[in-house]
Amino acid sequence: MVITVKCSAAHWSVLDPATAVAEPFASGAAAFDAALLRASDHHRRTGQDSTVRVEALGNTVDAVHFSH
């Protein structure tokens, strides 16, 4: 599962494939913390790999990866 923290026009959101909805956040830090919690929880519950990806200014980086 890849959970994406995205900045678009100075607005931060978290895109969770489980909900298919972009949830807005007031800051990048708050969005990242929420995504990290979701990714960690998904890995803990399912044992499946989970990644937090950050998209901003036309760039993408996989910031955190939970795996076996």
Side-chain angles (χ1 to χ4, degrees):
M1 171 182 263
V2 177
I3 298 171
T4 304
V5 176
K6 186 171 185 171
C7 181
S8 179
H11 294 95
W12 290 93
S13 61
V14 171
L15 307 171
D16 186 336
T19 62
V21 175
E23 182 181 350
F25 284 86
S27 70
F32 186 82
D33 288 347
L36 187 62
L37 182 62
R38 289 179 193 181
S40 174
D41 182 57
H42 176 264
H43 177 68
R44 182 183 46 76
R45 284 185 298 103
T46 67
Q48 297 174 348
D49 291 1
S50 191
T51 300
V52 174
R53 178 173 291 157
V54 178
E55 294 183 10
L57 302 173
N59 296 299
T60 302
V61 64
D62 288 351
V64 178
H65 184 74
F66 296 95
S67 66
H68 298 93

